[in-house]
Amino acid sequence: MWIDTHCHFDVEDFDGDRPEVAARSFQAGVEAIVIPGYLAQRWGHLLEVCQTISQPRLLAAPGLHPCYIRQHQPEHLEQLDALLRRHVCVAIGEIGLDTYVPELKEPDLYRKQQDFFCGQLQLARQHDKPVILHVRKAHADIFRLLKEQGFQNGGIVHAFSGGVEEARHYYRLGFKLGIGGSLTYAQAKRLHAVVAAMPLEALVIETDAPDMIPQSRRNSDSGKTRNSPEFLPLVAAALAEAKQVSLETLCGVLRKNSEEVLRLV
Ligand SMILES: [Zn+2]
């Protein structure tokens, strides 16, 4: 059975058929799905979704996403603190820094991104939780801030987009690298190099649904591009091929990795 370590199963793309998608995912071998947060006003719904479905197990990881930085307010950190006291959450996510989108790089906004990242690292320390990181073109600043904050709880670098050196650095700091549908794309050379260089113990898998549809499920005729947790086995198959291991071996190692980093056992 597989664990989808990053899936936005709470978003409206799934409002019409969430129970059916959950049933098909479970049938496909997905035993648990981690749902990261992005906006404070969506946390209530996220927690509700986690309670309505029992197979697969839905695990909440609420937090404030760097791409929505304009909308975050200081009181949202207090709300997150209160929420973590009252509800079972596996991690704080998805948090981090993004300078890939040009306007997010503007000095005021980038400063705000860093402030909210640090604020959430502090909450993760207080509540003894790992974090789910969203990092695009900002690895050096992430390393600096993790160090400054003395953060040692580890977590997952979701949809890892860095190079081998960065991958090794995260792994040394107690992070796993989230590998998703990009691996099914032949042109993702850098990701293939990272996967080849890193031990299986450093990796976990994710769909990032409804985004990041695997190559074979891309249907340009119908215009259907919604990714789904039921496609997680396609990521697993691509990873098994890249690492030249059996699905059984991969399944055992990934499960252990996910359970360890998210402290599920
Ligand atoms: Zn995400």
Side-chain angles (χ1 to χ4, degrees):
M1 300 284 271
W2 307 103
I3 297 175
D4 188 346
T5 61
H6 196 105
C7 170
H8 296 280
F9 202 37
D10 59 320
V11 301
E12 62 181 9
D13 304 63
F14 295 107
D15 282 354
D17 61 349
R18 193 170 286 109
E20 291 82 357
V21 175
R24 289 200 299 272
S25 302
F26 192 69
Q27 277 290 313
V30 179
E31 63 175 318
I33 297 172
V34 178
I35 310 182
Y38 55 104
L39 274 174
Q41 56 264 43
R42 298 284 304 181
W43 294 336
H45 178 64
L46 192 165
L47 292 168
E48 215 175 279
V49 165
C50 288
Q51 275 158 12
T52 53
I53 288 164
S54 57
Q55 286 180 324
R57 248 173 100 193
L58 302 184
L59 307 166
L64 299 164
H65 192 305
C67 291
Y68 296 84
I69 192 64
R70 277 200 182 80
Q71 295 166 69
H72 304 329
Q73 302 300 328
E75 59 266 29
H76 295 160
L77 292 173
E78 291 157 33
Q79 288 170 23
L80 184 57
D81 186 21
L83 185 147
L84 289 161
R85 279 177 217 287
R86 286 197 309 267
H87 298 274
V88 179
C89 302
V90 291
I92 295 183
E94 55 183 291
I95 68 173
L97 300 174
D98 193 315
T99 70
Y100 180 78
V101 181
E103 57 268 32
L104 294 174
K105 230 173 15 182
E106 285 166 18
D108 285 358
L109 272 189
Y110 194 50
R111 167 80 357 236
K112 190 176 173 192
Q113 283 196 57
Q114 295 181 59
D115 290 346
F116 275 83
F117 178 53
C118 290
Q120 292 180 97
L121 287 180
Q122 285 160 18
L123 284 177
R125 281 187 68 177
Q126 280 164 33
H127 292 269
D128 196 22
K129 298 285 178 198
V131 293
I132 294 174
L133 296 182
H134 168 107
V135 191
R136 287 199 299 180
K137 290 195 161 188
H139 295 291
D141 284 337
I142 291 279
F143 292 138
R144 175 176 55 81
L145 295 172
L146 286 171
K147 195 172 177 186
E148 271 176 31
Q149 295 292 324
F151 187 75
Q152 293 186 330
N153 292 353
I156 295 169
V157 194
H158 131 75
F160 182 70
S161 61
V164 173
E165 278 316 305
E166 286 145 348
R168 291 200 176 111
H169 195 161
Y170 281 113
Y171 187 44
R172 276 198 300 274
L173 293 174
F175 285 85
K176 308 284 187 202
L177 311 171
I179 306 298
S182 305
L183 196 66
T184 65
Y185 289 82
Q187 66 268 37
K189 297 226 159 57
R190 191 144 103 134
L191 183 60
H192 280 274
V194 166
V195 163
M198 298 302 290
L200 264 190
E201 286 67 28
L203 310 177
V204 294
I205 53 171
E206 62 174 61
T207 59
D208 202 14
D211 302 324
M212 292 305 305
I213 192 152
Q215 176 98 68
S216 62
R217 291 292 165 151
R218 193 168 256 208
N219 186 344
S220 50
D221 296 341
S222 69
K224 256 178 41 184
T225 56
R226 183 183 75 169
N227 194 9
S228 165
E230 71 203 272
F231 301 148
L232 187 66
L234 298 172
V235 176
L239 185 55
E241 200 192 320
K243 296 299 279 180
Q244 290 291 300
V245 292
S246 69
L247 280 175
E248 289 71 21
T249 303
L250 183 72
C251 191
V253 178
L254 291 183
R255 184 184 202 187
K256 190 166 165 278
N257 295 350
S258 304
E259 286 177 346
E260 181 188 300
V261 75
L262 297 169
R263 309 168 181 182
L264 299 180
V265 282

